[in-house]
Amino acid sequence: MIWNDDFETLPREALESLQLKRLQNTLQRVAATVPFYRDSFSQANIDIGTIRSLADLQRLPFTLKQDMRDNYPYGLFAVPLEQIVRIHASSGTTGKPTVVGYTRRDIDIWAELMARSFMAAGVHRGDVIHNAYGYGLFTGGLGAHYGAEKLGAAVIPMSGGNTKKQIMIMQDFGSTVLTCTPSYSLYLAEAAAEDGINIREFPLRVGIMGAEPWSESMRREIEEKLNIKAIDIYGLSEILGPGVAIECLDAQHGLHIWEDHFIPEIIDPDSGAVLPLGETGELVITTITKEGIPLIRYRTRDITRIIAEPCICGRTHRRLARMSGRSDDMLIIRGVNVFPSQIESVLMTIEGVEPHYQLIVDREDNLDTLEVQVEVNEQTFSDEIKVLQDLSRRIQKEIKDLLGITCRVRLVEPKSIARSEGKAKRVNDLRKR
Ligand code: DLL
């Protein structure tokens, strides 16, 4: 089922002409109201009147996270504060948060895009949505909440935390949809099992999961442990929050990015050059309907590619391949580029190993070292030393075969790696000390 047939199945030609019109309109607006854009266009010697095709977008300069920090808190807003009705912020790892403001129309569009996303994932009126994304400055909770109400489903505003209570509510209220990070869904399954509750028997049908990188094998694990379809949803606060792109239930392959509101490009993260359609690189997004804080060519740092082939679901909006990581959390270990998700996909295929791991990167005698700490299940943990040694050797070999680097493997006790209620922390890079 499609929420908004008129827009979601618009023929490409009409979609692209709508994009161009909206892009030109956005450029006029930011040039008139945001000093940062006025300056950056004039420094790059660009007269926005000469942007006459979507290809011309490539001539415009990028917007970086640093630009948002430099204009903290409201410097990039394109409307006066009286027109802003909501403010969110993302915490980030260093310094001040990144602040975003929404007008009433921005909030309405966000709810519409989340309603579309829910429906694409097979969620509908009559569903009970257990929303365990955090409510607060983080966009996950309220973003999913407004979309669920717009859809007409019943939303339970759980927020994160209090895991035991979450399980009780989910069971007693008969939730059919779970919205939370992929890592938290596994924690919920584990906590239920600890109390002798079989979460597989709950009426849960679909999980809408995102906000952190995860792998295809992690999906299989979640689908098996919770007995649901796990759908990948992507978004970022700077651009909107959740609901920028989502997989459809029909294909469960690639995330439709809502192109009547966003223009995606894929660039080479080093040179900044736009890559040919279908190649993998950094995702850059331009917003074309936002009023509060429109962003032109925002560098997301997320690594993906555009899937241009038509989708079986009938939507004409292009798909993004599952995010394979971020260009800024790609680890360089002894010169080799390593994404945590690559190691995750190795671990997930090995019997006896649990989907809870952490990567410790350090430097000894000027040489990078990688230690993979991974939990094993109870049964494996109580096996003889020899069995455990064979298991670590096997993990070590598979990682070496895939990435060409030798790592140390530490098999740790079940439940010894810290669980997260939101985004999981997978990497501890001690070289940055
Ligand atoms: O994480 C918004 C969101 C909430 C998305 C709930 C999905 C569900 P931020 O906190 O600003 O916003 O973090 C955005 O998280 O640039 C990606 O690096 C990562 N991310 C988000 N979704 C995915 C995903 C929200 N499906 C940053 N796969 C983004 C991989 C994801 N990474």
Side-chain angles (χ1 to χ4, degrees), residues 15 47 117 181 334 392 412:
L15 184 55
D47 168 5
S117 301
T181 56
R334 275 168 258 149
S392 339
V412 299

Side-chain angles (χ1 to χ4, degrees), residues 247-268:
E247 284 178 333
C248 56
L249 183 65
D250 300 351
Q252 254 192 328
H253 175 67
L255 298 83
H256 291 278
I257 172 160
W258 303 123
E259 287 184 272
D260 50 340
H261 298 273
F262 311 109
I263 303 180
E265 298 172 274
I266 302 291
I267 63 161
D268 173 331

Side-chain angles (χ1 to χ4, degrees), residues 133 138-139 211-213 232-237 302 323 326 423:
Y133 284 120
F138 176 56
T139 51
E212 66 185 9
D232 195 359
I233 182 166
Y234 170 79
L236 61 169
S237 359
D302 294 314
M323 304 289 141
R326 292 178 56 84
K423 299 179 192 248

